[in-house]
């Protein structure tokens, strides 16, 4: 009788471990496309990511780098003070997207150019994404808007 209880307990524990393993694997599989790591231009130049890796880039839009193409195509450069990465984007840019202002873009780094699928700009005069602030501070070019 005790042997049967012990065997049943072991079966339940084994089933729970298998269920936990399968659910963890399914969650990881579902999230693999939803996780986008942030990189500053200096990190991209130092260790270029593969062309299939989707990630976020952030920094300041380099002064004099915005070049509008045909239609909604636009080229510009993003800098963190240590390195500059050219960016290509097709779409409508946010209203507050201007030179020397912070931005974050999502996309892929292909043949030395970041091909963005999404561009985000700060949403008011004071705001800048935390990742961009950290990257600019690391390069020593961050200017606090509050003085």
């Amino acid at each position: 009788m005790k042997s049967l209880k012990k065997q049943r307990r072991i079966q339940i524990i084994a089933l729970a471990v298998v269920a936990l393993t399968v659910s963890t694997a399914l969650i990881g599989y579902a999230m693999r496309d939803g996780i986008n790591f942030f990189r500053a231009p200096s990190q991209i130049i130092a260790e270029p990511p593969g062309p299939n890796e989707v990630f976020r880039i952030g920094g300041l839009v380099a002064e004099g780098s915005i070049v509008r193409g045909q239609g909604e195509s636009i080229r510009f450069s993003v800098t963190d003070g240590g390195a500059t990465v050219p960016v290509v984007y097709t779409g409508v840019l946010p209203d507050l997207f201007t030179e020397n202002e912070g931005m974050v873009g999502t996309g892929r780094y292909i043949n030395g150019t970041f091909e963005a699928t999404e561009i985000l700009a700060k949403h008011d005069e004071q705001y800048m994404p935390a990742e961009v602030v950290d990257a600019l501070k690391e390069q020593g070019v961050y200017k606090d808007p509050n003085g």
Side-chain angles (χ1 to χ4, degrees):
M1 188 78 144
K2 284 190 175 190
S3 166
L4 187 59
K5 279 186 174 182
K6 187 176 183 178
Q7 186 177 2
R8 180 65 69 196
R9 201 174 304 144
I10 291 172
Q11 289 173 342
I12 290 172
I13 291 171
L15 184 63
V17 168
V18 168
L20 183 62
T21 303
V22 168
S23 64
T24 302
L26 288 173
I27 289 170
Y29 179 76
M31 290 181 65
R32 77 183 193 293
D33 290 335
I35 298 174
N36 295 322
F37 294 104
F38 176 84
R39 293 198 172 127
S42 296
Q43 294 170 323
I44 294 169
I45 298 299
E47 293 180 39
N52 294 328
E53 182 180 347
V54 176
F55 64 95
R56 295 184 308 148
I57 186 174
L60 299 176
V61 178
E63 190 170 343
S65 68
I66 298 177
V67 177
R68 300 197 185 272
Q70 292 181 322
E72 296 178 339
S73 179
I74 186 167
R75 292 182 167 276
F76 59 94
S77 296
V78 176
T79 184
D80 62 0
T84 302
V85 173
V87 178
V88 174
Y89 176 68
T90 301
V92 178
L93 290 169
D95 290 339
L96 295 175
F97 181 88
T98 59
E99 294 176 352
N100 289 324
E101 296 296 337
M103 62 75 61
V104 174
T106 303
R108 302 173 197 271
Y109 189 67
I110 301 172
N111 297 326
T113 301
F114 184 78
E115 295 183 3
T117 56
E118 179 182 30
I119 298 290
L120 303 173
K122 65 182 189 172
H123 66 272
D124 66 21
E125 293 300 317
Q126 302 297 321
Y127 177 76
M128 189 174 297
E131 296 100 339
V132 174
V133 170
D134 293 342
L136 294 173
K137 282 182 179 177
E138 191 174 300
Q139 295 299 322
V141 295
Y142 178 70
K143 296 175 192 160
D144 189 355
N146 297 325

